[in-house]
Each structure stands twice: as structure tokens, then as C-alpha cells.
Amino acid sequence: RVHDHKADVLHAIACNPATWFPQAAADKTFSNLSLSVENIVLVDDQRANFQSPYSGRQVCRYCKVARYDATYRSFGMVKNMGGIGARSAADYETLVMFVDNPYSCKETLELRCVQRNVRASSRKHPVKLVVFDFDETLTLATFFPEDDVFGERLDWDPAVLEEGSWSRDDLLRYNFESPYVPGSRLQKLQSLLAALAKDASGQSRPLAVLTRNESGAVSVLNLLRMANLDRYFSAIWTLPYSLTRPTGVFQVRGEWRAFEAPVCEVADHKANVLRHIVEHPLKWFPQLAMEDLIQSYSGLLSMTPESVVLVDDERASFQNNSENPAELMRFCKVARYDEIYRNCGPLNQMGGIGAHSDTDYEHLMAFVQSPWRYSQDVDAVVDIEDFAVVPTNLQRESLEEEGTKVLRVRRPKSLSNPELYSSPRGSSLKRVSSSPCASPLWQCADPGQISQGLAEFDLVGLEGTSAPHDRL
């Protein structure tokens, strides 16, 4: 009778509570129970449970239990652990407060920055390289045009879009512009990237893109070029290795050139790739072999692991716990959310720097300038040394926090709206991480009202302020 999803089940309970509470036949407390979906709070550790991919129904009020990886008792490294109060006693108080006064916890979807506790000698090392994910970090959701040469030609001409299903304005709006905050997100991104490209002394600081996208580095470049964002980046690398498309492109005085990034020399994980870049910058930045450019990139030759910041929407990107362990010392986690997006219907695993809050730009800039101010004790969560000696049969099989990413597709053209066309984008499946609790059905009237000092593993309950409504 109901879709196999918690959001749909809770809506069904709200519509007919007597069907779900057999006690109603004998207990007047239940027989007189009158519910709406806004009367229900869901406490869960999987963000995917807060919106149904089948119907688009969303849970109005919920508490997201923090997920983490840890060396647990005799089992070694266990991924995707959780538990109310597992890492912070404040969880209990927070949950009671939220249930009593949910309207006091407004929704906020903001970027969070972390510097792991590092050795004292490296604690204040300057940031020499900022690396961005592309999908759902620079974009809100990624849509590519249906053009066979879009991912193959560095001289691709956007004029061909006039004959296709996407216009240039369509692609910019759907990929980069946010309908959730006022103003142009593209202009804000351009200002942010321009500021990050210079360090405190005014010297050049290289920016790069490292993304898992099977469409290849040229596709990413062409989309960035349409948005006038490519000029801020020195290189773009894509995973996994492709036999048909280059995995790297680099910029030389405004000209982009393709090359084969050495992705086959390193484990297929961003943490391992970034460690390899620190150790072998010449292999990833061909500009270092050019005498007239080496001064602009000389800082890359003396990098340490603390010199790199990764900005990504996937928690799994910050640490590899496999047989090739690696971890990042400094990173920024972009908030994830599910939303009914423009005319695409319900989309899950959306993201985007500044998609819901302009404070993202301020936080990221401040973090890159002074990352040591964001130091956080996460040593208990990352214990790679112990993981290496734990037998495989003692490791708990961990479930992904979110399911399959919904295909990015616009609905077909209709007479009532001539701008609607069908344009599917093939997407690789992504494993993603937890986000702070939020209430996606409610619009946030006052982002930033939640304290900026939330502990990394605190449970947080959030709710927005606009009137409830059914988006179906």
C-alpha cells in the first residue's frame, strides 16, 4: 500500500494512524490520535531516509545522527558507525530540546571546515594548493549537453547548443545558479576563486579540480569555461582512468592543453591521489617543467600533506581505509541535501558551495587563510595504523549512507512551458557521507542561527520556518 521508504511510511502513518497502531482499538489515547506529518520527528543516521525517491515526499522534522569511522573494540576499523550519544553526551539534551521546541532549530546547510590535529611543527603550515571536487561542489547538480564531442574537443564551440536541447543559459542556470539564495551564485564563485588564487602575500596560489566523473576532464573544462570559471584553475583531473578520454588538462597563459594525469600510478581514491600530488607535483602540474612558469608554481615543489585543502561534498573522499590507507589533514565538507529541483522533480545528493548560504564563501576563505583556527580532534575517528593489521573477517560490512544518485534529467517539453526539454545526464554512482540534520521540506528564513561551534559528532535537530506543504 505504501512505497518502501520511511518518508512515505511516515506520511501514511500521519494520514491513518489507527492502521499503524493496533492499540487504537482498545486504548483511547491512540483512538483519538490526530496526526499531520509535521507532528512526527524521525531520528535516523541515514540522510537518504528523509526524502523518498519514489514520491518526493519529505520528512518535515528530523534529527540526523552523526556517522563516523572508528577503530571499534576488537573489530578494528569499522565504517559508518553511528549511535545517539556515541561521541557526544550533548546528543540527549539536543534531541529532547528539538522534540519540545522544533521551531527553535532552523534549517541550515553550510560548509564545514576541519584541520585534523597535526604535529605542532606543521600546525601553521600555509595552504599552497586548493583542490575542488566538481559534481555537487562547484555545481549544485551536474547536467551535460547531449553532444558527442563535448567531452573530447578542447576547442568545443558553445554555439552548437542552439541546435540542441540545452541552451548556454540553461546549462549555467541548472548547473551553477542557486534558486535558494538571492543574487548570482556564479558571480560569488568567481569572486571566491579570484581571492583564493592569491595568498596573504599576494603570490599566486594554484587551484585545481579533482573529480570522479566518467565524462572526463574535457567535459568538466568545457562546462567551467562556459561559466567563465576555468581561468581560475591551473589543472583539472578526473577519476577513474579512461581509455578514450584524457584524465587531465592544464592551463598555460589562458590556453588549455590535454595530458594523461598519472591516475594509474596511485590507488583510485582522492586521498591517495592528493598524497601522490604532494610527493610528485611535476607529474600532475606540467607547468613546472616550463621555465617561464615555474616561479608561479614553485610553492608546489615544497608541499607537505598539510599544504593541501580539499573541498568536497563526500565525506568518504577525505580518508581511505582500504589496504592503501591515506587521509587528508585539511578539508571542507560541502552540505548535501535532497530537493525538488527546478523542473527536474526530486533529486537526491545535491550540493554546491553557497547553494543555501552565502556564509560558505566566508568560511572557506577564512579556512584557507588560517586553517589552524579550525583544528579538531578527529584522531579517534581515524586510526589507520590499527586498520592495517585487522583480519578482513573481523571487519563489519558497512552500508552506504545514501542510495543511488537520481539521474539528472529535465522533464519533457510541454506546450505550457516551451523551455522544458529532456536531457539526461549519465552519472556514476557515488558513495557519500552524513550531513548535519536538516528539514528539506521547510525553507530556511534565517541561516546561521545555528551555533557555529557544533561538535563534529553532535546530533543536531533542525527545522525551517515556512508553512508546511505537499510538494507533489
Side-chain angles (χ1 to χ4, degrees), residues 108 112 376 436 450-460 462:
T108 182
R112 303 176 70 192
Q376 192 161 345
I450 303 299
S451 168
Q452 301 301 311
L454 294 174
E456 173 73 5
F457 301 104
D458 284 358
L459 174 147
V460 185
L462 297 174

Side-chain angles (χ1 to χ4, degrees), residues 127 189 210-211 214 247 291 315 362 408:
V127 174
L189 276 178
L210 173 62
T211 188
E214 294 181 354
T247 53
E291 292 184 3
R315 181 172 60 90
E362 301 170 12
R408 282 22 178 169

